[in-house]
Amino acid sequence: MSDFALMLEAEIPRLRRYARALTRDMSRADDLVQSCLTRALAKRHLWQAGTDLRAWLFTIMHNVFANQARRAGVRAVHVSVDDENLSEREFAVPGTQTQSLEMRDLDFALQRLPLDQRQVVLLVGLEEMSYADVAQALEIPIGTVMSRLSRGRERLRALMAGAQPGAKLQVVR
């Protein structure tokens, strides 16, 4: 097995974790990872040794996901994430432990973030990527990464504190 293949194999758990967070479906996530790895192997000649392979793979995954979302958006029925008719049971994590409940709430709150904010929050917070790597992977300026991260974190805090979507936050003195 080549060095490139070994390095690619080492990144699979991160790719799968991010793909699951994006798609919320294990089989779609596995398909996304498979597409990403297939494309990476086909475009191997474009990767420059000595550069961050993880950032390169996340760029590929982001582009594949965006293309799939664009195609699906044309034929899909759109449902607002703020739709009050959605049952929380769809997002529930079974279990009685406090940690399970907190994880459910965090997952629910993450899914309520706009996609652009969710991607940045997951890449910086979960994958521990640098702002520069996230900017490169998503093909956006670093300032945009910082702005989306700030807004995403603020919205997450509000959602975790039980604020209703669209509710104005008040400064308490």
Side-chain angles (χ1 to χ4, degrees):
M1 193 181 280
S2 71
D3 288 342
F4 182 78
L6 289 172
M7 291 180 351
L8 216 80
E9 185 178 346
E11 296 299 328
I12 291 174
R14 288 183 174 138
L15 292 171
R16 291 185 79 203
R17 188 170 48 237
Y18 183 54
R20 284 184 184 150
L22 284 176
T23 64
R24 305 255 322 126
D25 179 84
M26 287 182 83
S27 65
R28 284 183 53 217
D30 288 341
D31 290 344
L32 181 59
V33 172
Q34 180 69 32
S35 296
C36 174
L37 292 173
T38 301
R39 194 164 290 183
L41 287 170
K43 303 290 184 179
R44 175 183 178 182
H45 63 280
L46 296 176
W47 179 68
Q48 298 172 354
T51 60
D52 190 357
L53 178 64
R54 180 176 58 160
W56 187 69
L57 290 170
F58 276 89
T59 300
I60 293 172
M61 180 174 283
H62 169 74
N63 291 337
V64 170
F65 178 73
N67 290 340
Q68 290 174 353
R70 225 177 277 119
R71 274 186 256 129
V74 171
R75 59 182 185 267
V77 175
H78 295 277
V79 178
S80 170
V81 264
D82 293 329
D83 187 352
E84 297 300 325
N85 294 325
L86 289 177
S87 170
E88 282 191 42
R89 281 182 260 139
E90 293 180 43
F91 303 102
V93 176
T96 58
Q97 298 174 346
T98 303
Q99 184 178 13
S100 293
L101 295 174
E102 289 171 352
M103 289 305 294
R104 180 204 63 194
D105 293 345
L106 178 60
D107 185 42
F108 184 72
L110 277 169
Q111 295 310 313
R112 296 190 74 157
L113 289 179
L115 179 61
D116 58 346
Q117 291 176 14
R118 185 174 359 129
Q119 288 173 325
V120 172
V121 167
L122 289 171
L123 289 174
V124 172
L126 182 64
E127 296 303 328
E128 299 178 348
M129 290 176 70
S130 71
Y131 292 174
D133 289 343
V134 172
Q136 180 184 355
L138 300 180
E139 297 174 345
I140 57 176
I142 290 179
T144 304
V145 169
M146 292 187 292
S147 174
R148 289 179 183 177
L149 182 62
S150 175
R151 288 190 319 253
R153 285 177 173 167
E154 183 178 323
R155 176 128 169 118
L156 267 179
R157 281 187 205 101
L159 290 168
M160 292 299 289
Q164 293 299 317
K168 298 286 183 190
L169 297 177
Q170 292 182 340
V171 177
V172 178
R173 295 177 192 195

